[in-house]
Amino acid sequence: QELLKWNGWGYNDSKFIFNKKGQAEFTGKRYRLGGMVLPTFKEWIEKTFGASLEHKTTSRASLNVNDVPPSIVNEEFLQDLRATKISYSQDAEDRVFRAHGHCLHEIFVLREGMFKRIPDIVVWPVCHEDVVKIVELACKHNLCIIPFGGGTSVSSALECPEEEKRTIISLDTSQMNRILWIDEKNLIACVEAGIVGQDLEKQLAESGFCTGHEPDSMEFSSLGGWVATRASGMKKNIYGNIEDLVIHIKMVTPRGIVEKNCQVPRMSTGPDIHHFIMGSEGTLGVVTEVTIKIRPVPEYQKYGSVVFPNFERGVACLREVAKQRCAPASIRLVDNAQFQFGHALKPQVASIFTSFLDGLKKFYITKFKGFDPNILCVATLLFEGDREKVLQHEKQVYDIATKFGGLAAGEDNGQRGYMLTFVIAYLRDLGLDYYVIGESFETSVPWDRVLDLCRNVKERIVRECKEKGVQFAPLSTCRVTQTYDAGACVYFYFAFNYRGISDPIHVYEQIERAAREEILANGGSLSHHHGVGKLRKRWMKESISDVGLGMLRSVKEYVDPNNIFGNKNLL
Amino acid sequence: MAQDSVSLFVCSQQKELTSKKRDEFEDILEERRLSSDLRYAMKCYTPVIYKGLSPCKPNAIKSAVLQSEQVQYVIKQLAKEMGESPDIIQEEATEILDEMGHSMQLGAVRFFAFALSKIFKRLFQRVCVNEEGMQRLQHAIQEHPVVLLPSHRSYVDFLMLSYLLYTYDLALPVIAAGIDFLGMKIVGELLRRAGAFFMRRSFGGNRLYWAVFAEYVKTMLRSGYAPIEFFLEGTRSRTAKTLTPKFGLLSIVMEPFLKREVFDTYLVPISISYERILEESLYAYELLGVPKPKESTSGLLKARRILSDSFGTIHIYVGQPVSLRTLASGRINRCPYNLVPRHLPQKPSEDIQEFVSDVAYKMELLQIENMVLSPWVLVAAVLLQNLPAMDFELLIEKTLWLKGLTQTFGGFIEWPDNLCAKKAVMSGLALHSNIARLVDGHVILNDKGVEDGAVGEIVFKHALAILMCATYRNQLLNVFVRPSLVAVALQMTRSFRKEEVYSCFSFLRDVFSDEFIFFPGISLKDFEEGCFLLTKCDAIQISQQEIYPTDKGSVIVSFLSAMFRPFVEGYQLIFRYLSKETKEAFTEKQFIPGVRNFVFQLLEKGNTQCYEALSSDMQKNALAALVQLGAVKKKKMSNGFTYNVNQEAVNKILDMFDARIPVQKPVAARL
């Protein structure tokens, strides 16, 4: 917690700033971009958003403790809690830190206002048994528990329901972060659910293994959170999504503990109870231990990238790759606006030689091959595995790309593309300083509708902005970020300059909502991996039908009749 | 929720009615008279086009259509069902496409530009266009695919529209034309090169044809290749009264948006009105059952003698482009097409069918709203109520009076600049000397040859004159229909109780649902609007329970009901024929001559004065109304439809009329 920002994304020491010369710079040493100057970035921001460095807003420097709603916890419960020796806190900062995820409106509140309702107390169980005790106490005293993992939710899932009168306990799983055992024969590992993605990979790597599950938030998000939201990782093409990775889940509910009797690759015993748990978004209980598949760390990794003359050709190529089932560990296609964005984040080049080479490359692509720099788009690739197989695989993919007019554009571009997905989250904080607000959202969609959906949603955003009085054209861009046999996952970024608008958050939410309705009208899903939370609840009924919703409700009613897990997500 | 959105849909329409501000007109022939037509035809033509357009040739579209999943799917289905090889069916599809497809060429366009300049200048005094409408259209064309929906009164319509777009440097439309044009040598091909594509008149049962046709239209729309133009009315209105809309083509052009293949689609209502309709006498003959000459090139050549005649002014009003997305928002379930692949042919849900129908009516109402009415239209309406002869001064006075009333009702009158009423009426008479003329200070209908010849001949000639004249009065009817039906209902019920008047109004509205254009399902709103307009001109007063005419208002009420009397009486005649004279099932081919003879005999005997009941248009509409009211059963047979009359039901409907209003009552309210 000390390392992390209290009012923005990620580490305290990592952020975008404009240095004394007015050039953009990324601070800190944690990322490859750290300490580098980004010479074209300022111009891009000014051009894209009409933002200017002179117009700046500033966040409060620190939390004003007096604004924070008081902690109301009854003394009997506190006595019982102390008896369990589980550590807890009623400190204002601790509670505010766990009152939100990373939706735009949440960050905005942190910078300029205060939440109406936050947890009254934070507890830190260190093992499964601790969780059992806490849940028992909560049932005994009729309190509300909101499980908290990495705090990276973007669905308002962590927000406390304003009307909750009971004491809200934030159950922080971060101290349950051990790998309990590794079973090399079956290639599985049993891990406590609070472990954060990067720690899990680091610790497994010590034994030569990995899970291969890498959501963009993996530096901060937790295993339990992945399970609770049906997370998806960048390299799912090799390792699978969370539902493919999980072998066994132990969850503590008000009814007791739910688990299976064995750890097997598959079983036919009625509907898989794991599927009630995965995506339950903290409404049923706390995931405490997960047995997850592991793989030997790959021998070789190689990045790559391909330039396409336009987005349509790019999508056609990804479709073909998916059809031939030869997708590399990751394959992503960014549209032109995002390509230009990536370009703007290019660091200052070290030598004249590289700059010369860049120029030459650009000349080749635009002049010689006739690609229009305002239309072309780029696919980034990541291959993993045996060195030999990777090279073979690489050739196969590039051959397909050639058929769709693609040109190989080098490892460097590919690698930068993936690095960007980690630092892009930091960018919003910079934007907020200059009247630019933005967010990302995602969906999944059948192949035949990918192009229509991307075009219509982007267009809808632009139009809605205009209608709502946004004075500058917004950034409205997308990438096809995952491929499947039957469709793809599409990721949108959307940001605009809100100068001149009195209630930017409201306007923003209206536009986001319109964009979601557009997605649904175009045959896209409510969510591919972010989940529903409270942000997208209103569309659940039309997404899964009345009966479907009833099925989920009846599970909730059985498992948690008193609504102890009362975060009000999903249903 | 659905209810709400429907009313929203309607509200917006009524709001438009009240807050009317119309654009100014500009004469496009003026410049043509001043500069060279040849240079005009050869001008540098670089039209504004759709922003997302990827340019392609007509043939590329055809092959895209043939290769499309939609067409291929149907081909495979048919091959499986008929046990034929897909290649043969594919061949068939290619032939259909070749028959159908346009092959727009700039050369042909330039030829038309030249020839039409010459012809139009001879035929018409002025061709007036609202330039602001053209500018709006220009923006629309760049933004989204555009569908042009002109009214259809004459073959000149689509020639004129293309000519107009060429003049304003806009992308030329592709036009859905009837296949009959292909029968014309050279001209058919020439039209094809000017952007016409041809559809068969009926292809309901032919799945391959439907698939190819629909996909052809949708491909052009999706790619933004060119604005698509077709006539909602389906055919030229022989009566100059807007015909009820056809839904087939409209539902095709709406589909790409509903399936979200395009972001939006603009529908542009266009009202084209003629001071004198080129085909006026042809139409009158046709309505009386003298067959329409088949479209042929030699016929066209013969028609050139009309070149020496004058046809006055044309007014073209390009309406505000209507965004389909806006119309659909909140109305259509978001994802009707999500669970089936979009290329599979799918019968549209009831929701969607209803939506298509609402959109069609809305567009026609917009056409009507912006349709320019010339002074002659008013003259004709007055004259028809004062036959056989009317004092010229009185005619002028009444015409002026009617002008005021029409404007109160929202009619769009273009009165020639600074022209006094007398001159306006005179110039109308001059232009329409074939219909009426001034004799000894009286205006009489021009039914030459009446004095000599058999009785039948006289009736026919007279009917001809009346129908021609009615063609002009008809242009007023849709503007007047709501207040007029209230007036008719007031007279029929002879009661002032609001409920009774409304129920009678509602009955009339149902009976005339094929005759006039009513937005579906808003009977009460129409009634309220009619009452509102009548109060606006002080014709009636409304209290909580009652509606009664004011002293001054009885003139208006009688005029309005007299205006619609030909329809009230005509329908009764036709219903009587059906209730008495038809015992067995019949086809439309038998019905029309049957009822015509029936009315003809009554006219000969002098038992009725309702010449308009001879109009086959009215006869068909009346039959269709009975079908809708369930009094006639319509059955589909191998060779078309047959009808079965439910005598009892028809009698009941007749009673509704008869019990309350005597048919043969002499014209009660002369003005």
Side-chain angles (χ1 to χ4, degrees):
Chain A
Q1 190 179 331
E2 290 74 42
L3 288 174
L4 303 182
K5 289 197 192 76
W6 72 276
N7 65 349
W9 177 266
Y11 298 108
N12 270 324
D13 58 4
S14 304
K15 62 180 175 229
F16 284 95
I17 57 158
F18 286 106
N19 63 21
K20 285 176 197 115
K21 279 189 270 172
Q23 285 177 316
E25 197 179 319
F26 191 70
T27 62
K29 295 211 171 84
R30 294 175 189 271
Y31 300 92
R32 214 168 70 111
L33 205 58
M36 292 211 195
V37 172
L38 316 165
T40 55
F41 185 60
K42 181 177 157 221
E43 193 196 325
W44 179 82
I45 284 205
E46 287 170 342
K47 204 178 92 197
T48 312
F49 297 107
S52 123
L53 296 192
E54 279 127 52
H55 300 279
K56 199 166 175 206
T57 67
T58 33
S59 161
R60 276 193 312 234
S62 65
L63 188 66
N64 186 349
V65 180
N66 295 332
D67 295 345
V68 177
S71 157
I72 299 166
V73 185
N74 95 29
E75 194 50 41
E76 283 169 46
F77 167 70
L78 277 181
Q79 273 176 10
D80 283 350
L81 186 63
R82 279 186 212 115
T84 62
K85 305 253 165 54
I86 297 169
S87 63
Y88 70 90
S89 159
Q90 289 173 269
D91 173 69
E93 281 181 31
D94 288 338
R95 292 188 293 122
V96 169
F97 189 84
R98 286 161 187 79
H100 66 87
H102 280 272
C103 286
L104 176 71
H105 65 269
E106 294 169 319
I107 300 302
F108 216 76
V109 166
L110 282 176
R111 289 169 62 103
E112 308 199 343
M114 182 40 64
F115 299 104
K116 293 220 177 75
R117 186 74 169 94
I118 66 167
D120 295 294
I121 182 169
V122 182
V123 296
W124 283 275
V126 295
C127 61
H128 171 78
E129 282 69 29
D130 282 355
V131 175
V132 174
K133 284 178 202 154
I134 294 167
V135 173
E136 272 169 9
L137 283 182
C139 289
K140 180 178 163 199
H141 296 276
N142 189 25
L143 309 178
C144 171
I145 299 179
I146 298 183
F148 181 91
T152 56
S153 146
V154 283
S155 59
S156 304
L158 287 170
E159 261 177 72
C160 301
E162 268 174 47
E163 65 283 1
E164 181 59 68
K165 293 283 182 303
R166 301 173 295 181
T167 294
I168 297 180
I169 305 167
S170 177
L171 190 155
D172 186 321
T173 59
S174 61
Q175 305 310 306
M176 309 199 304
N177 56 7
R178 294 164 299 168
I179 296 178
L180 296 179
W181 45 257
I182 294 175
D183 175 354
E184 298 192 11
K185 290 208 179 86
N186 294 308
L187 283 177
I188 54 178
C190 184
V191 188
E192 288 184 313
I195 195 165
V196 180
Q198 60 175 337
D199 296 342
L200 175 63
E201 292 299 290
K202 234 181 267 160
Q203 289 176 38
L204 283 175
E206 284 163 17
S207 327
F209 292 103
C210 68
T211 64
H213 186 72
E214 292 185 14
D216 291 353
S217 61
M218 70 172 290
E219 300 162 281
F220 310 105
S221 58
S222 68
L223 175 56
W226 300 340
V227 169
T229 55
R230 289 182 70 85
S232 168
M234 180 179 98
K235 298 194 287 197
K236 73 95 193 154
N237 290 337
I238 294 183
Y239 301 97
N241 287 321
I242 195 71
E243 68 271 21
D244 310 307
L245 287 166
V246 161
I247 291 293
H248 184 263
I249 302 172
K250 199 192 257 184
M251 177 164 81
V252 182
T253 78
R255 276 273 170 199
I257 294 159
V258 52
E259 60 180 329
K260 294 184 183 175
N261 72 327
C262 53
Q263 314 200 85
V264 291
R266 182 173 195 275
M267 59 205 272
S268 174
T269 46
D272 191 340
I273 53 164
H274 283 168
H275 283 285
F276 289 126
I277 299 169
M278 283 186 287
S280 60
E281 303 191 357
T283 57
L284 299 178
V286 186
V287 175
T288 53
E289 288 169 16
V290 178
T291 307
I292 189 166
K293 289 195 224 170
I294 54 173
R295 301 282 308 162
V297 172
E299 172 196 322
Y300 186 61
Q301 257 199 349
K302 193 172 182 192
Y303 289 96
S305 65
V306 182
V307 187
F308 291 98
N310 56 43
F311 193 63
E312 289 76 9
R313 302 286 278 167
V315 170
C317 174
L318 260 63
R319 204 283 160 266
E320 184 61 27
V321 167
K323 197 170 174 182
Q324 298 192 16
R325 294 208 173 157
C326 62
S330 168
I331 178 165
R332 287 173 171 179
L333 180 77
V334 304
D335 70 359
N336 184 265
Q338 223 170 112
F339 158 74
Q340 302 215 3
F341 171 40
H343 217 69
L345 285 174
K346 233 178 180 172
Q348 200 161 33
V349 279
S351 73
I352 298 172
F353 181 66
T354 20
S355 123
F356 173 72
L357 262 186
D358 277 353
L360 208 61
K361 247 189 270 173
K362 193 173 158 194
F363 179 80
Y364 175 72
I365 288 175
T366 58
K367 294 289 169 348
F368 192 70
K369 283 286 174 180
F371 285 19
D372 181 343
N374 292 313
I375 296 178
L376 63 82
C377 71
V378 180
T380 57
L381 310 164
L382 171 60
F383 297 90
E384 251 185 43
D386 296 350
R387 191 186 158 85
E388 207 168 296
K389 275 191 191 147
V390 163
L391 295 178
Q392 212 181 335
H393 192 176
E394 192 186 17
K395 183 170 181 311
Q396 188 187 5
V397 172
Y398 280 113
D399 283 350
I400 294 174
T402 313
K403 280 191 201 128
F404 292 87
L407 288 176
E411 274 180 76
D412 214 41
N413 280 317
Q415 191 171 8
R416 197 172 55 248
Y418 287 102
M419 183 260 313
L420 281 183
T421 58
F422 289 105
V423 299
I424 205 167
Y426 287 95
L427 210 54
R428 182 169 72 195
D429 296 326
L430 178 77
L432 279 168
D433 287 343
Y434 294 96
Y435 289 95
V436 174
I437 51 177
E439 182 93 275
S440 60
F441 51 93
E442 41 74 40
T443 186
S444 50
V445 58
W447 277 115
D448 71 311
R449 297 179 199 244
V450 170
L451 283 176
D452 287 335
L453 181 134
C454 290
R455 183 197 55 230
N456 290 346
V457 171
K458 286 194 275 184
E459 174 101 27
R460 178 77 182 260
I461 289 173
V462 172
R463 268 164 202 274
E464 291 286 334
C465 280
K466 212 191 254 170
E467 262 171 48
K468 301 282 179 318
V470 176
Q471 296 180 3
F472 305 91
L475 172 72
S476 165
T477 154
C478 72
R479 66 166 192 254
V480 177
T481 198
Q482 284 294 4
T483 64
Y484 293 85
D485 287 355
C489 167
V490 181
Y491 209 93
F492 292 90
Y493 288 109
F494 154 46
F496 64 86
N497 180 338
Y498 68 85
R499 249 164 54 216
I501 297 179
S502 58
D503 190 357
I505 292 302
H506 182 64
V507 168
Y508 169 80
E509 280 171 353
Q510 282 179 316
I511 298 171
E512 188 190 17
R513 183 173 162 179
R516 181 58 61 182
E517 308 222 311
E518 192 62 36
I519 287 176
L520 296 174
N522 280 275
S525 64
L526 190 51
S527 171
H528 170 265
H529 59 272
H530 281 173
V532 176
K534 290 180 270 290
L535 194 61
R536 285 176 276 272
K537 247 165 94 165
R538 67 163 69 89
W539 293 289
M540 267 304 270
K541 197 166 111 180
E542 72 177 281
S543 286
I544 61 169
S545 82
D546 267 340
V547 178
L549 205 58
M551 288 158 84
L552 295 186
R553 280 214 180 96
S554 64
V555 170
K556 163 82 180 170
E557 258 157 46
Y558 173 77
V559 173
D560 182 17
N562 295 321
N563 196 27
I564 299 299
F565 289 90
N567 60 15
K568 293 247 168 113
N569 289 339
L570 201 60
L571 297 174
Chain B
M1 157 106 191
Q3 201 61 46
D4 278 1
S5 42
V6 170
S7 60
L8 241 172
F9 195 77
V10 178
C11 269
S12 65
Q13 170 194 326
Q14 292 204 327
K15 208 166 120 205
E16 281 155 30
L17 255 174
T18 47
S19 63
K20 209 165 298 174
K21 224 186 118 230
R22 287 173 179 123
D23 311 334
E24 298 284 315
F25 284 104
E26 204 66 40
D27 181 9
I28 59 164
L29 284 190
E30 203 171 277
E31 206 197 318
R32 290 276 45 73
R33 296 195 203 277
L34 296 176
S35 64
S36 151
D37 289 333
L38 192 62
R39 198 179 305 145
Y40 162 76
M42 299 316 290
K43 74 172 177 171
C44 169
Y45 171 65
T46 45
V48 282
I49 48 175
Y50 174 52
K51 62 173 183 212
L53 175 72
S54 36
C56 61
K57 293 255 183 307
N59 278 329
I61 290 183
K62 285 190 195 170
S63 60
V65 171
L66 273 184
Q67 296 315 314
S68 70
E69 286 170 311
Q70 286 82 342
V71 170
Q72 286 299 322
Y73 176 83
V74 173
I75 288 179
K76 275 184 202 133
Q77 285 274 309
L78 288 173
K80 216 189 275 170
E81 280 167 33
M82 308 195 306
E84 281 205 61
S85 111
D87 294 345
I88 294 176
I89 297 173
Q90 169 108 11
E91 195 69 18
E92 213 177 302
T94 314
E95 277 166 27
I96 292 174
L97 208 50
D98 283 338
E99 172 194 274
M100 179 159 57
H102 73 86
S103 51
M104 204 193 283
Q105 285 174 357
L106 201 54
V109 170
R110 292 193 191 286
F111 167 79
F112 270 106
F114 180 74
L116 289 178
S117 292
K118 294 283 180 218
I119 295 172
F120 287 162
K121 276 191 286 188
R122 287 211 53 192
L123 286 176
F124 305 111
Q125 285 158 11
R126 297 187 306 154
V127 173
C128 296
V129 180
N130 63 330
E131 287 212 314
E132 281 161 67
M134 294 307 287
Q135 278 158 17
R136 290 192 295 254
L137 182 59
Q138 182 183 351
H139 287 297
I141 285 177
Q142 295 171 61
E143 232 179 322
H144 299 301
V146 164
V147 179
L148 304 176
L149 300 169
S151 58
H152 203 11
R153 302 286 172 270
S154 164
Y155 282 142
V156 177
D157 290 331
F158 61 84
L159 296 173
M160 184 53 85
L161 208 49
S162 295
Y163 182 78
L164 192 61
L165 293 181
Y166 176 81
T167 306
Y168 280 86
D169 254 342
L170 300 181
L172 286 179
V174 289
I175 307 150
I179 200 100
D180 359 358
F181 279 109
L182 269 189
M184 303 164 77
K185 282 173 210 142
I186 308 171
V187 176
E189 281 312 306
L190 211 51
L191 286 177
R192 196 196 281 283
R193 283 180 198 177
F197 62 97
F198 300 93
M199 61 190 290
R200 295 182 190 163
R201 286 277 170 205
S202 62
F203 47 89
N206 189 338
R207 271 153 67 200
L208 184 64
Y209 191 86
W210 175 258
V212 172
F213 180 76
E215 192 49 33
Y216 184 63
V217 175
K218 283 188 277 182
T219 304
M220 289 192 290
L221 183 105
R222 278 192 294 254
S223 63
Y225 174 77
I228 293 180
E229 174 183 330
F230 65 92
F231 300 102
L232 274 173
E233 296 165 275
T235 180
R236 292 170 301 159
S237 166
R238 269 60 167 175
T239 58
K241 196 156 51 60
T242 304
L243 303 173
T244 50
K246 304 272 178 293
F247 306 126
L249 249 169
L250 185 64
S251 68
I252 291 176
V253 297
M254 282 168 69
E255 207 180 279
F257 167 72
L258 292 174
K259 291 187 170 172
R260 293 303 194 277
E261 292 163 341
V262 295
F263 183 79
D264 199 352
T265 303
Y266 275 129
L267 306 176
V268 186
I270 299 176
S271 320
I272 308 177
S273 62
Y274 298 85
E275 204 177 356
R276 185 178 163 203
I277 297 167
L278 215 57
E279 296 100 323
E280 57 177 4
S281 63
L282 275 180
Y283 288 161
Y285 277 106
E286 209 182 303
L287 290 173
L288 290 172
V290 179
K292 149 185 175 191
K294 228 178 157 206
E295 274 86 7
S296 72
T297 308
S298 62
L300 189 82
L301 290 177
K302 272 182 212 142
R304 87 205 133 134
R305 76 184 154 78
I306 59 170
L307 281 181
S308 54
D309 228 341
S310 170
F311 290 85
T313 302
I314 301 182
H315 283 99
I316 304 169
Y317 195 98
V318 179
Q320 185 83 37
V322 178
S323 147
L324 187 53
R325 174 174 276 268
T326 311
L327 291 180
S329 77
R331 260 226 49 181
I332 292 293
N333 169 0
R334 255 197 294 282
C335 1
Y337 293 102
N338 281 1
L339 290 179
V340 178
R342 291 181 295 179
H343 67 269
L344 298 193
Q346 208 182 338
K347 195 171 185 298
S349 67
E350 253 168 59
D351 265 10
I352 294 204
Q353 286 180 27
E354 198 187 292
F355 178 57
V356 171
S357 149
D358 285 358
V359 170
Y361 275 98
K362 188 185 168 80
M363 289 301 130
E364 287 204 342
L365 286 168
L366 287 173
Q367 284 177 2
I368 290 167
E369 186 187 312
N370 292 324
M371 186 76 83
V372 166
L373 305 166
S374 67
W376 173 250
V377 165
L378 308 173
V379 173
V382 174
L383 198 57
L384 275 176
Q385 290 193 28
N386 294 278
L387 291 177
M390 188 182 190
D391 180 66
F392 183 58
E393 295 301 325
L394 190 60
L395 176 64
I396 292 169
E397 187 189 317
K398 285 296 158 197
T399 303
L400 261 183
W401 172 81
L402 183 56
K403 179 188 170 205
L405 192 62
T406 308
Q407 279 165 337
T408 314
F409 290 172
F412 187 4
I413 296 180
E414 269 287 300
W415 201 265
D417 288 336
N418 310 320
L419 211 54
C420 73
K422 184 170 177 180
K423 282 204 179 126
V425 175
M426 285 297 279
S427 89
L429 278 170
L431 190 64
H432 298 275
S433 58
N434 58 330
I435 296 179
R437 66 201 147 111
L438 186 60
V439 180
D440 304 332
H442 281 74
V443 179
I444 57 164
L445 274 195
N446 219 351
D447 39 6
K448 263 176 268 167
V450 171
E451 297 78 15
D452 44 280
V455 191
E457 188 79 352
I458 294 172
V459 170
F460 185 81
K461 280 273 158 75
H462 197 60
L464 209 56
I466 288 196
L467 285 187
M468 288 226 287
C469 197
T471 304
Y472 294 93
R473 175 214 55 201
N474 283 350
Q475 299 179 24
L476 278 184
L477 294 182
N478 274 309
V479 176
F480 275 68
V481 67
R482 287 161 197 82
S484 296
L485 289 192
V486 174
V488 174
L490 267 171
Q491 293 205 330
M492 273 173 72
T493 49
R494 299 218 193 85
S495 151
F496 300 126
R497 290 206 39 236
K498 212 174 185 175
E499 274 166 44
E500 274 181 57
V501 177
Y502 172 61
S503 93
C504 181
F505 173 89
S506 198
F507 161 74
L508 289 169
R509 189 182 178 274
D510 288 344
V511 169
F512 292 132
S513 63
D514 279 59
E515 197 70 53
F516 308 109
I517 305 303
F518 298 107
F519 193 85
I522 54 159
S523 187
L524 187 60
K525 275 225 159 70
D526 279 345
F527 179 68
E528 280 166 357
E529 194 193 315
C531 291
F532 168 73
L533 292 175
L534 285 177
T535 12
K536 203 167 137 194
C537 60
D538 290 327
I540 56 166
Q541 282 188 319
I542 301 180
S543 69
Q544 206 69 11
Q545 306 282 330
E546 294 190 318
I547 299 178
Y548 42 90
T550 57
D551 300 339
K552 167 179 159 210
S554 60
V555 179
I556 295 176
V557 170
S558 332
F559 180 86
L560 294 182
S561 77
M563 189 180 215
F564 283 76
R565 177 156 308 117
F567 296 91
V568 176
E569 289 182 7
Y571 269 56
Q572 290 180 77
L573 289 177
I574 296 162
F575 291 173
R576 258 170 50 201
Y577 164 78
L578 284 169
S579 99
K580 298 222 173 70
E581 311 285 323
T582 54
K583 298 282 177 259
E584 289 152 21
F586 58 89
T587 63
E588 195 183 276
K589 275 204 182 105
Q590 297 164 319
F591 164 70
I592 298 288
V595 69
R596 189 188 301 130
N597 278 336
F598 174 79
V599 176
F600 209 85
Q601 279 167 17
L602 288 176
L603 284 166
E604 273 182 338
K605 287 181 207 144
N607 287 346
T608 179
Q609 290 298 313
C610 186
Y611 284 87
E612 292 186 43
L614 283 174
S615 155
S616 59
D617 182 66
M618 186 188 287
Q619 294 157 359
K620 285 179 200 162
N621 289 339
L623 183 63
L626 287 185
V627 172
Q628 279 201 341
L629 293 171
V632 169
K633 288 252 163 335
K634 184 175 173 182
K635 254 192 268 170
K636 194 171 176 167
M637 294 303 203
S638 55
N639 55 345
F641 294 100
T642 65
Y643 298 85
N644 257 314
V645 177
N646 175 347
Q647 253 82 17
E648 205 180 317
V650 174
N651 282 332
K652 219 168 129 193
I653 293 172
L654 266 173
D655 284 346
M656 304 269 282
F657 280 113
D658 280 334
R660 288 154 176 161
I661 190 170
V663 184
Q664 302 303 338
K665 206 176 132 203
V667 183
R670 271 188 194 278
L671 276 167

